[in-house]
Amino acid sequence: MKILKFGGTSVGSPQRMKDVSALINDGETKIVVLSAMSGTTNSLVEIADYIKKRNPEAANNVINKLRGMYMQHVEELYTDTSLAEQTRKLLRGIFLHLHNLTACSYTPQLEKEILAQGELMSTNMVTNYLLELGVKVKLIPALDYMRIDENGEPDLPYIKQHIAEILKQHAGYDLYITQGFICRNMKGETDNLQRGGSDYTACLIGAVLGAEEIQIWTDIDGMHNNDPRFVPGTTPVRQLNFEEAAELAYFGAKILHPTCIQPARYAGVPVRLLNTMDPSAPGTIINNQMQRGTIKAVAAKDNITAIKIVSSRMLLATGFLRKVFEIFETNQTPIDMVTTSEVGVTLTIDNTAHLAAITEELKKYGTVETDENMCIICVVGDLRWGNVGFETLVTEALSEIPVRMISYGGSNHNISLLVREADKKAALCSLSAKLFA
Ligand code: ADP
Ligand code: ASP
Ligand code: MG
């Protein structure tokens, strides 16, 4: 069985919902993961933000605007009056729920409950449209099987057992529709897999079920060799190794959720990136194969802070690095890049929630300096150290740009460089010109 995920733009209007329905309705049994309609999750974030700022009136205005849009979508989507009315009833219930939530005080939990509504709406709308077409379709609620553990990691045994049971219970349907992004936590509360998390939902389902293929359908013809939002003339990469794709996703290629490739890789399920706007385009296949001797793509991750600890006294002492890393661990802050010298070490983080506590503790071990508003540029491909010349090409491309850190040799697949966020566009463009011209 294949798992197909359609992102926000792919279901972003009634016409798009009709196009997606036509695309998935080909007689082959499949599981279809849907995002919220594009813009909806951002509006829901805005609603939560107004509640946080104790401005329920503004929150209600956003809800009213959203409701107006959705009611119009219903008019355009259905010809069957009873399915249209059924959908209206469901949407009215969701908007009433949102209005009621504006009377509550803000908590992170309240925000998660609000954010979950977008996927609940889109999946119900598309399922009812497929019912109108006479398709044998079943909506399976993600909240019945998708769960994260106390560390926010997917609870794979639970997901596997529950989705398998649900599918067995509802055997015989042609299409199974489910929500991306949303899940429950260990307390049973509504939670989510972070922004962009619908990709993760699809990959988790594909991995636990040992699917034939996971397809991520979006608004572009696969993974491009550089970020098309910043670099003109990027082109699609037709094949990526799981590790290359995982690095690109983690280091900023927005087409994939940062951690969605890992489960597919462990399960050995290929992932195909396809374009809803041009379904016959070949897209990108992500699998176990490794194309030798080529650099594939470049990505960039913003909002990076570099932290340098200089300590001539301590660095060579046994256990210094352990102490430094422990400080990040106890403050639950993941480290992205590390470079060391005999007298100092620099690390980068993207989550600065505990930065003050981290720097306070690091000061026990040396002089601490931070550089904010930095950006990791990640070059991905066959970068085994025996491949002469690739690192030279990369540094030559950046010869006009101040580079704060370089990390090479950590894996066979990547070179990472830290530059100022202000230099990101120039760095990406120079790399494209040097590596892919
Ligand atoms: P969806 O809503 O379908 O999940 P996203 O907006 O999350 O879609 O991801 C698709 C977008 O990712 C593209 O429109 C493109 O602007 C952006 N993007 C960033 N880097 C890349 C890349 N290397 N290749 C392709 N798209 C990329
Ligand atoms: N709707 C969610 C978001 O906008 C999840 C997703 O689209 O993948 O982040
Ligand atoms: Mg996305």
Side-chain angles (χ1 to χ4, degrees), residues 5-10 35 38 196 198-199 216-220 222-229 248 252-256 297-299:
K5 175 259 169 176
F6 292 87
T9 34
S10 302
S35 294
S38 57
S198 297
D199 304 333
I216 307 287
W217 289 80
T218 182
D219 57 0
I220 191 164
M223 177 75 78
H224 277 216
N225 57 9
N226 208 329
D227 194 323
R229 295 167 299 174
L248 289 167
K254 194 196 169 216
I255 187 170
L256 287 172
V298 180

Side-chain angles (χ1 to χ4, degrees), residues 18 66 85 115 161 245 261 318 320 333 348 365 437:
K18 289 180 187 179
L66 211 53
E85 188 45 31
L115 260 58
Q161 186 198 333
I261 291 299
T318 318
F320 173 74
T333 302
T348 71
Y365 301 107

